[in-house]
Amino acid sequence: MLNKLYEQGKDLHVANYVAYGKTADHKLYADEGYKETVTKVEIEDAFKKGRLVIVEGANYLVPVAFGATGVITVVTGETVKTQAWAASAEK
């Protein structure tokens, strides 16, 4: 049987968790001004629940993978580009 991931009370009525990607350092932040950091645990939790959305400028990205380096997104356009996003906080 597959491992079950249950939402918790903190997830009640949450449609998505939004993280802001700073292209200069490829890290994720909790606010548009890149001041409030997020942890790898927070990113992993939102990814596992299928609720993580990353805002990079005008692009809204949905991660396709999670690994040791963080989450991976794909941007299509003239060329297909993958991007790894890491947590901005240490813990």
Side-chain angles (χ1 to χ4, degrees), residues 35-54:
K35 303 283 186 217
E36 189 177 339
T37 59
V38 295
T39 64
K40 184 177 179 180
V41 172
E42 292 172 310
I43 294 168
E44 182 178 8
D45 182 57
F47 176 81
K48 284 180 177 179
K49 293 173 182 167
R51 295 181 177 179
L52 182 60
V53 175
I54 298 171

Side-chain angles (χ1 to χ4, degrees), residues 10-83:
K10 67 182 176 110
D11 300 313
L12 186 62
H13 305 301
V14 174
N16 288 307
Y17 292 97
V18 178
Y20 295 88
K22 186 175 181 182
T23 55
D25 62 4
H26 302 293
K27 295 198 177 189
L28 297 176
Y29 295 84
D31 63 327
E32 291 182 77
Y34 309 119
K35 303 283 186 217
E36 189 177 339
T37 59
V38 295
T39 64
K40 184 177 179 180
V41 172
E42 292 172 310
I43 294 168
E44 182 178 8
D45 182 57
F47 176 81
K48 284 180 177 179
K49 293 173 182 167
R51 295 181 177 179
L52 182 60
V53 175
I54 298 171
V55 179
E56 176 207 19
N59 298 319
Y60 284 72
L61 310 170
V62 176
V64 295
F66 180 86
T69 59
V71 292
I72 307 294
T73 57
V74 177
V75 178
T76 59
E78 293 179 16
T79 60
V80 176
K81 177 180 91 172
T82 61
Q83 178 62 59

